[in-house]
């Protein structure tokens, strides 16, 4: 029995560590510095994500940050899925670890982003119908109310609910590992947005695209 447990635990540790290290790459900081736009942590909300990078006035940098932050969550999931095709829970663990890595990157003293782009990239890779529907929720709120944070909160809250729907044409409901992954990451997004929630309640939250100094 011990001969089986030890390799399994080692595999689990390697998957989680690899996912975390991939997710902890702070693309927003790297890209803005490389482009001569300064340190994104010193402007706006101080966040390292695409929304705050947009406040530098560089839409190209914001787009690159968005794609790379989403890509690292997707990559962590897909790589482990390819290596262990019969163990979906391992891929979910890798994706979840990448998400945590973005939120708490070791390279930045565990002070990272809020995980929205990584969340969407992860959902699209893990269960694309769920990712598309959560993305649609974000778009509807963002383009009607112009609050990126509120859009993220609504999309995150809807993800586990959508994962439980029975829609055969969209291959729903999602498997249990995906449901747990969406619920866990959604909860962390709400926790990381506690300051945004307070500002939304006060009416002081900046709207999408606004420069905050």
């Amino acid at each position: 029995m011990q001969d089986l447990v030890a390799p399994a635990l080692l595999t689990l540790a390697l998957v989680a560590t690899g996912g975390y290290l991939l997710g902890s790459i702070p693309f927003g900081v790297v890209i803005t510095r490389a482009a001569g736009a300064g340190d994104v942590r010193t402007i706006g909300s101080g966040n390292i994500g695409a929304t705050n990078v947009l406040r530098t006035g560089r839409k190209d940098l914001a787009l690159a940050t968005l794609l790379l932050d989403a890509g690292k969550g997707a990559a962590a999931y897909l790589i482990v899925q390819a290596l262990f095709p019969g163990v979906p829970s391992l891929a979910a663990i890798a994706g979840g670890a990448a998400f945590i890595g973005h939120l708490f990157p070791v390279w930045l003293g565990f002070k990272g982003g809020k995980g929205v782009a990584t969340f969407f990239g992860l959902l699209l890779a893990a269960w694309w119908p769920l990712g598309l529907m959560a993305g649609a929720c974000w778009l509807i709120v963002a383009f009607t109310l112009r609050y990126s944070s509120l859009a993220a909160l609504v999309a995150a809250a809807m993800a586990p609910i959508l994962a439980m729907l029975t829609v055969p044409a969209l291959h729903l409901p999602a498997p249990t590992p995906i449901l747990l992954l969406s619920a866990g990451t959604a909860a962390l997004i709400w926790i990381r947005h506690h300051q945004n929630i307070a500002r939304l309640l006060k009416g002081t939250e900046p709207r999408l695209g606004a420069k905050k100094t």
Side-chain angles (χ1 to χ4, degrees):
M1 183 66 177
Q2 188 175 0
D3 292 340
L4 296 175
V5 172
L9 290 177
L10 178 59
T11 299
L12 180 61
L14 290 174
V15 164
T17 301
Y20 171 81
L21 291 176
L22 178 58
S24 67
I25 301 173
F27 285 115
V29 175
V30 173
I31 288 173
T32 51
R33 282 185 171 178
D39 190 338
V40 69
R41 293 172 294 176
T42 64
I43 67 169
S45 65
N47 186 33
I48 64 172
T51 300
N52 201 47
V53 172
L54 185 62
R55 294 190 177 111
T56 65
R58 294 286 301 272
K59 294 182 180 179
D60 56 335
L61 301 184
L63 178 60
T65 301
L66 175 68
L67 294 176
L68 288 170
D69 281 349
K72 63 187 180 184
Y77 187 95
L78 293 174
I79 290 172
V80 174
Q81 184 182 58
L83 293 175
F84 304 95
V87 193
S89 58
L90 272 182
I93 289 171
F99 181 81
I100 292 173
H102 179 76
L103 267 57
F104 309 104
V106 63
W107 323 113
L108 302 180
F110 304 102
K111 297 178 181 178
K114 296 176 181 177
V116 178
T118 308
F119 171 76
F120 283 120
L122 184 53
L123 288 189
L124 285 169
W127 208 251
W128 65 265
L130 179 59
L132 289 180
M133 290 191 293
C137 292
W138 189 94
L139 289 171
I140 292 170
V141 177
F143 283 96
T144 55
L145 301 178
R146 306 293 295 174
Y147 286 114
S148 176
S149 58
L150 181 59
L153 291 167
V154 171
M158 288 299 298
I161 297 173
L162 294 169
M164 292 186 290
L165 293 179
T166 301
V167 186
L170 294 177
H171 307 289
L172 293 170
T176 299
I178 307 302
L179 171 60
L180 295 177
L181 179 64
S182 64
T185 51
L188 287 172
I189 284 178
W190 272 74
I191 292 171
R192 293 290 286 177
H193 279 75
H194 68 278
Q195 293 179 334
N196 302 84
I197 294 172
R199 288 194 295 267
L200 285 167
L201 293 174
K202 294 178 181 177
T204 59
E205 177 75 347
R207 292 184 182 272
L208 189 65
K211 291 184 178 181
K212 180 181 175 183
T213 58

